[in-house]
Amino acid sequence: MGDTESGPAKRIRKRRRNIGIGIAVAVLVLVIIVVAVAVPLSLRTFKRGFIQRCEDFKDKKGLIRSKYDCEKIWGLFEEAYVGRDPCKVPVEAFKPLLNAVPFKRKCNQTMLWSKTKALVHDFTKKRKCFETLEDTLLGSVLDEMNWCGKEGSNETFTTGCPERNDCETSAVRSFWNGASAAFADAACGDVTVMLAGSVATPFYDKSVFATIEVPRFYSPRVRSLNVVLVTQKNSVTSCENESLKDLQRKLDGGIKYNCTKMPEDKIYDWISDPEDCVPC
Ligand SMILES: *[C@@H]1O[C@H](CO)[C@@H](O)[C@H](O)[C@H]1NC(C)=O
Ligand SMILES: *[C@@H]1O[C@H](CO)[C@@H](O)[C@H](O)[C@H]1NC(C)=O
Ligand SMILES: *[C@@H]1O[C@H](CO)[C@@H](O)[C@H](O)[C@H]1NC(C)=O
Ligand SMILES: *[C@@H]1O[C@H](CO)[C@@H](O)[C@H](O)[C@H]1NC(C)=O
């Protein structure tokens, strides 16, 4: 250090160096925190989100808060997939959960969808006399969620899980297949389904609706199936489409079948109509 350097200049240099070290330490600590906490945090967030949505759940009338023990429901949920190969979770693994939170039999209110999810949910949010699976407790808690377990681990993972089409029996697909089956078993009276008129085959034979829900409709529990074929401006499909004839053929004999073509715009007009429960 030269003689020319004054005391104050030296102090400033020293302070700068200390600030530099301070920042470096802070960054290092931050990196360690992010690495150590981020992954477990996402898991804790997943569980906390599950329990929060479960406790906040209100039925369609918006009145009754969940009367369920949400910690217990989480426990039953977790038991279905933890420690399992993420692609080998059988539908039956979710039985205890689905039995603990059964779907109520609500005649004339069951609303199903296939490739019309967003529209149908906008609709049932305003039309409280219709209920989709995602309007129920379990459906609303797990809608749009992705999760899995891993062999040799008792943890829940939310990243690195199979994508929707990776395997038939992922935790997510098995849950929804089991829940859809139980929901269809609880359907009674007049059942409504909104199908997409904008696709070539509105009744797609590989869909959850075709493979899981329709085979569970029996007369006289289910009186009729009312198909609303949702069309857009350039939709080519009509109620006469062959795939819809297939649907009619697959339906149990005593069930009445009805198909109505309906422009999407008109459904959105209904949604904005304040009057509740206008029959479709
Ligand atoms: C369901 O609708 C039919 C008419 O389509 C009606 O006769 C029946 O009473 C309704 N059931 C319930 C539980 O509202
Ligand atoms: C997982 O297992 C460990 C050790 O057996 C235990 O301490 C921990 O609480 C378990 N975690 C969960 C989420 O069950
Ligand atoms: C009607 O359904 C069949 C399958 O059953 C499909 O191949 C065809 O493209 C559909 N027709 C139109 C006009 O979308
Ligand atoms: C078919 O459904 C429409 C509305 O979805 C209804 O107005 C009509 O009465 C139904 N027809 C039969 C035969 O059930």
Side-chain angles (χ1 to χ4, degrees):
M1 245 159 259
D3 289 5
T4 49
E5 195 165 273
S6 66
K10 220 159 127 187
R11 272 205 303 280
I12 287 167
R13 219 154 54 99
K14 205 170 162 193
R15 203 183 302 149
R16 278 203 189 130
R17 203 181 56 202
N18 286 349
I19 289 170
I21 290 169
I23 288 171
V25 168
V27 166
L28 191 67
V29 166
L30 202 67
V31 166
I32 289 169
I33 288 173
V34 166
V35 168
V37 167
V39 175
L41 188 68
S42 82
L43 303 182
R44 264 182 274 145
T45 310
F46 182 76
K47 181 182 176 183
R48 208 179 326 118
F50 180 106
I51 289 176
Q52 193 68 58
R53 287 190 297 279
C54 173
E55 286 176 347
D56 288 347
F57 179 77
K58 295 184 185 73
D59 80 346
K60 291 290 289 181
K61 292 194 178 74
L63 298 171
I64 304 159
R65 273 180 71 101
S66 167
K67 66 181 189 309
Y68 296 102
D69 178 345
C70 293
E71 283 281 350
K72 190 180 154 219
I73 292 173
W74 167 264
L76 290 169
F77 168 68
E78 202 182 34
E79 263 172 34
Y81 61 84
V82 288
R84 289 188 198 256
D85 180 323
C87 273
K88 288 182 187 155
V89 182
V91 174
E92 296 73 48
F94 288 99
K95 273 266 158 64
L97 173 70
L98 291 165
N99 288 341
V101 196
F103 298 113
K104 289 192 193 75
R105 184 149 294 187
K106 288 183 178 166
C107 296
N108 299 353
Q109 294 182 29
T110 301
M111 171 67 84
L112 306 169
W113 53 267
S114 190
K115 296 219 161 79
T116 52
K117 183 178 180 181
L119 168 72
V120 170
H121 287 150
D122 285 346
F123 184 79
T124 60
K125 230 174 266 156
K126 289 297 280 291
R127 291 287 176 271
K128 308 290 188 193
C129 53
F130 288 107
E131 185 179 73
T132 65
L133 174 54
E134 294 75 20
D135 295 315
T136 66
L137 176 78
L138 287 178
S140 70
V141 164
L142 291 166
D143 192 19
E144 301 287 329
M145 294 289 143
N146 196 22
W147 72 89
C148 63
K150 281 196 171 60
E151 268 178 314
S153 163
N154 63 357
E155 281 185 67
T156 297
F157 298 86
T158 55
T159 54
C161 294
E163 293 299 324
R164 175 131 197 101
N165 295 318
D166 285 352
C167 44
E168 291 287 325
T169 54
S170 67
V172 174
R173 284 186 70 164
S174 288
F175 166 76
W176 287 109
N177 287 346
S180 298
F183 189 66
D185 282 336
C188 92
D190 303 326
V191 173
T192 310
V193 61
M194 289 201 194
L195 299 178
S198 52
V199 299
T201 46
F203 180 67
Y204 176 52
D205 62 3
K206 303 274 191 307
S207 65
V208 169
F209 176 59
T211 58
I212 293 175
E213 292 166 337
V214 169
R216 285 178 170 77
F217 296 154
Y218 289 103
S219 174
R221 171 171 56 88
V222 172
R223 219 174 64 104
S224 73
L225 179 68
N226 298 318
V227 173
V228 177
L229 189 64
V230 183
T231 59
Q232 287 165 347
K233 281 186 196 74
N234 50 3
S235 293
V236 286
T237 319
S238 74
C239 282
E240 279 66 53
N241 180 266
E242 198 51 39
S243 77
L244 292 168
K245 299 252 153 57
D246 282 344
L247 168 55
Q248 254 175 292
R249 279 191 288 270
K250 284 199 174 133
L251 219 48
D252 183 44
I255 299 175
K256 275 189 272 175
Y257 170 88
N258 190 354
C259 177
T260 313
K261 205 165 148 174
M262 195 75 69
E264 190 179 51
D265 295 350
K266 195 170 167 197
I267 296 173
Y268 274 112
D269 284 348
W270 275 346
I271 293 172
S272 58
D273 188 332
E275 194 187 331
D276 206 359
C277 291
V278 180
C280 306

